[in-house]
C-alpha cells in the first residue's frame, strides 16, 4: 500500500498514523482531555505566578534563582503544582486514547477490512501507539512553550540553558509516563473484546496504584516492622530504603521521583541519608547531568515497563483470530 505523493513514497505506517491522528482530533474525548489538562495548567500557573515573587526572594531556598522551574513547582498549597496534577491526569490521558484501540475496530468489522489490505499487523499497532504519542507530545510541548512565553512576558527574565534542558527533560519523562499507560490500555484492548471491559480494568489498575497500593505497602510493612525505639540509625535507613524500593514498583512513584529531581536541582538523593553522608554537604543546585544520573533508574523503569507491555500486546495481537 505504497503510493507516490509529489515523488515521495508514503509508507503504510505514515498513512495509518495520519488516519489515527485525524480520528483522535475529531473525537470528543480528546477535546475534553485537552480542555481538562489546559484548565489544570492555567490554574497551576496562576497560583505559581501569584507566589513567584516570594519564592524567588527566599534566600534559604537553594533553587530560588531558577525562576522558570519555580513556575512549575511553586504553590500556596491551595492546589498542587502542575507536575503533581499531571501524575493523576496523565494515566487518564493514556487510558482514554488506547482502551478501545483494537476491540472497537474488531467489533465494528473495520479490523478485518483494514488488515485485508497489504498492511502488517505490527504496522497497525505501531500507528495506534505513535499517533497517540505524537498528539500527547505536541500537547505537552505547547503547554511548556506557553509557560515559558508567559514567564518571559510577566518577569522579563531570560531563561537559563539549564532551566530549558530540565523543563524539556520534564516534558520527555511526562510523555514516557503517558506512553506506559497508553501501552497498558492498548494491551487491554487486545485482551478484552468489549471496550467497556478494557476501560474498566485500566481504570482499576490506575486506582490500585494511585490509592490502594501505598495503603497495602504500609499495612504489610507495619506488620513486621519492629518498634522504632528499638531501631538503630542503620536499621531506620535500611527499612526506609526497603519501603522506597517497594513503592517504586508503582509507575506513579517512578514518575514523581524523576520529575521532582529534575525540576528541583537541589535534590541530591531520593532516599534517606545518614549523618555521615550529610556532614559537610553544601545545599547547592546540582548540574543537570548529575540530576539525570540520580533519576536514570526511574526513567529506565518507565521505558522497560512500556516496552514489556508493548511486547506483550504484540504477542497477543499476532496470535489473535480477527475473523470471528
Amino acid at each position: 500500500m505504497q503510493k507516490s505523493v509529489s515523488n515521495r513514497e508514503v509508507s503504510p505506517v505514515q498513512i495509518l498514523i495520519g488516519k489515527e491522528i485525524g480520528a483522535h482530533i475529531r473525537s470528543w474525548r480528546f477535546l475534553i482531555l485537552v480542555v481538562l489538562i489546559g484548565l489544570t495548567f492555567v490554574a497551576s500557573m496562576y497560583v505559581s505566578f501569584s507566589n513567584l515573587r516570594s519564592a524567588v526572594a527566599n534566600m534559604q531556598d537553594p533553587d530560588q534563582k531558577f525562576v522558570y522551574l519555580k513556575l512549575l513547582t511553586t504553590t500556596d498549597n491551595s492546589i498542587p503544582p502542575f507536575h503533581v496534577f499531571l501524575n493523576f491526569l496523565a494515566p487518564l490521558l493514556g487510558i482514554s486514547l488506547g482502551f478501545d484501540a483494537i476491540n472497537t475496530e474488531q467489533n465494528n468489522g473495520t479490523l478485518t477490512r483494514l488488515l485485508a489490505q497489504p498492511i502488517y499487523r505490527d504496522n497497525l499497532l505501531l500507528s495506534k501507539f505513535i499517533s497517540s504519542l505524537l498528539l500527547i507530545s505536541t500537547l505537552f510541548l505547547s503547554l511548556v512553550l506557553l509557560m515559558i512565553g508567559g514567564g518571559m512576558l510577566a518577569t522579563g527574565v531570560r531563561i537559563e540553558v539549564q532551566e530549558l534542558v530540565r523543563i524539556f527533560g520534564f516534558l520527555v519523562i511526562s510523555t514516557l509516563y503517558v506512553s506506559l499507560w497508553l501501552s497498558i490500555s492498548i494491551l487491554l484492548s487486545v485482551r478484552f473484546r468489549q471496550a467497556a471491559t478494557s476501560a474498566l480494568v485500566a481504570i482499576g489498575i490506575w486506582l490500585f496504584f494511585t490509592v490502594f497500593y501505598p495503603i497495602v505497602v504500609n499495612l504489610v510493612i507495619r506488620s513486621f516492622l519492629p518498634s522504632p525505639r528499638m531501631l538503630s540509625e542503620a536499621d531506620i535507613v535500611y527499612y526506609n530504603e526497603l519501603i522506597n524500593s517497594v513503592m517504586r514498583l508503582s509507575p506513579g512513584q517512578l514518575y514523581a521521583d524523576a520529575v521532582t529531581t529534575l525540576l528541583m536541582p537541589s535534590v541530591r538523593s531520593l532516599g534517606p541519608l545518614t549523618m555521615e553522608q550529610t556532614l559537610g554537604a553544601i545545599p547547592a543546585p546540582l548540574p543537570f547531568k548529575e540530576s539525570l544520573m540520580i533519576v536514570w533508574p526511574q526513567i529506565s523503569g518507565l521505558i522497560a515497563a512500556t516496552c514489556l507491555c508493548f511486547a506483550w500486546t504484540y504477542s497477543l495481537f499476532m496470535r489473535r483470530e480477527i475473523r470471528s
Side-chain angles (χ1 to χ4, degrees):
M1 188 179 177
Q2 292 188 350
K3 62 181 183 180
S4 176
V5 178
S6 303
N7 298 325
R8 183 173 61 89
E9 290 188 349
V10 180
S11 69
V13 176
Q14 289 176 295
I15 296 173
L16 288 172
I17 289 174
K19 166 185 166 295
E20 292 296 329
I21 289 176
H24 282 310
I25 290 176
R26 290 190 292 271
S27 66
W28 276 102
R29 61 181 169 183
F30 181 72
L31 180 62
I32 291 171
L33 284 170
V34 169
V35 171
L36 186 62
I37 291 184
L39 288 175
T40 303
F41 178 79
V42 170
S44 301
M45 288 301 104
Y46 175 76
V47 173
S48 298
F49 275 114
S50 303
N51 297 278
L52 186 61
R53 185 183 295 275
S54 59
V56 297
N58 182 11
M59 301 305 291
Q60 303 297 322
D61 185 359
D63 299 332
Q64 54 94 16
K65 68 176 183 179
F66 298 105
V67 176
Y68 292 89
L69 297 183
K70 285 294 177 188
L71 281 177
L72 286 171
T73 55
T74 299
T75 179
D76 59 357
N77 296 322
S78 59
I79 62 171
F82 183 61
H83 71 283
V84 177
F85 253 130
L86 212 54
N87 201 343
F88 294 97
L89 292 179
L92 294 180
L93 189 60
I95 290 170
S96 65
L97 293 179
F99 77 93
D100 61 347
I102 300 298
N103 45 24
T104 298
E105 294 267 12
Q106 186 166 10
N107 292 336
N108 293 338
T110 55
L111 184 62
T112 308
R113 292 200 296 269
L114 193 60
L115 293 181
Q117 305 297 321
I119 298 173
Y120 296 113
R121 290 193 184 195
D122 52 350
N123 286 345
L124 181 63
L125 274 182
L126 280 174
S127 66
K128 298 279 186 186
F129 189 75
I130 293 174
S131 60
S132 299
L133 276 191
L134 285 175
L135 282 175
I136 292 161
S137 306
T138 305
L139 172 64
F140 286 167
L141 180 63
S142 303
L143 291 177
V144 165
L145 292 178
L146 186 64
M147 184 273 290
I148 293 175
M152 285 183 173
L153 288 175
T155 64
V157 177
R158 188 181 63 179
I159 187 170
E160 299 292 335
V161 174
Q162 186 178 176
E163 285 182 287
L164 192 63
V165 173
R166 285 179 180 274
I167 289 172
F168 278 99
F170 161 68
L171 176 69
V172 171
I173 294 173
S174 299
T175 305
L176 270 177
Y177 185 47
V178 177
S179 70
L180 170 59
W181 287 100
L182 177 64
S183 61
I184 291 174
S185 62
I186 293 178
L187 168 65
L188 296 174
S189 77
V190 174
R191 176 62 182 81
F192 299 105
R193 293 186 64 89
Q194 300 299 323
T197 306
S198 60
L200 193 60
V201 174
I203 292 174
I205 295 172
W206 169 67
L207 274 177
F208 171 76
F209 280 114
T210 305
V211 178
F212 298 109
Y213 185 69
I215 299 173
V216 172
V217 170
N218 282 329
L219 288 177
V220 172
I221 294 292
R222 283 182 184 179
S223 64
F224 69 87
L225 188 68
S227 171
R229 291 175 296 180
M230 302 173 62
L231 296 177
S232 63
E233 183 183 354
D235 292 332
I236 293 174
V237 171
Y238 169 76
Y239 281 113
N240 271 290
E241 284 287 352
L242 178 64
I243 294 172
N244 287 338
S245 300
V246 176
M247 286 297 295
R248 283 172 189 146
L249 294 176
S250 166
Q253 186 65 41
L254 293 179
Y255 174 75
D257 287 349
V259 297
T260 301
T261 305
L262 281 189
L263 295 177
M264 297 179 180
S266 60
V267 174
R268 291 174 171 268
S269 173
L270 293 172
L273 296 173
T274 62
M275 289 298 293
E276 288 80 8
Q277 290 172 318
T278 56
L279 189 63
I282 300 173
L286 290 178
F288 172 74
K289 184 179 177 183
E290 293 187 18
S291 295
L292 185 63
M293 293 301 293
I294 292 175
V295 299
W296 185 247
Q298 280 76 7
I299 297 174
S300 300
L302 289 175
I303 295 173
T306 304
C307 292
L308 181 64
C309 289
F310 195 80
W312 193 0
T313 307
Y314 183 86
S315 174
L316 282 179
F317 191 52
M318 289 301 110
R319 293 182 285 119
R320 177 79 172 266
E321 175 56 61
I322 62 172
R323 290 172 295 183
S324 59

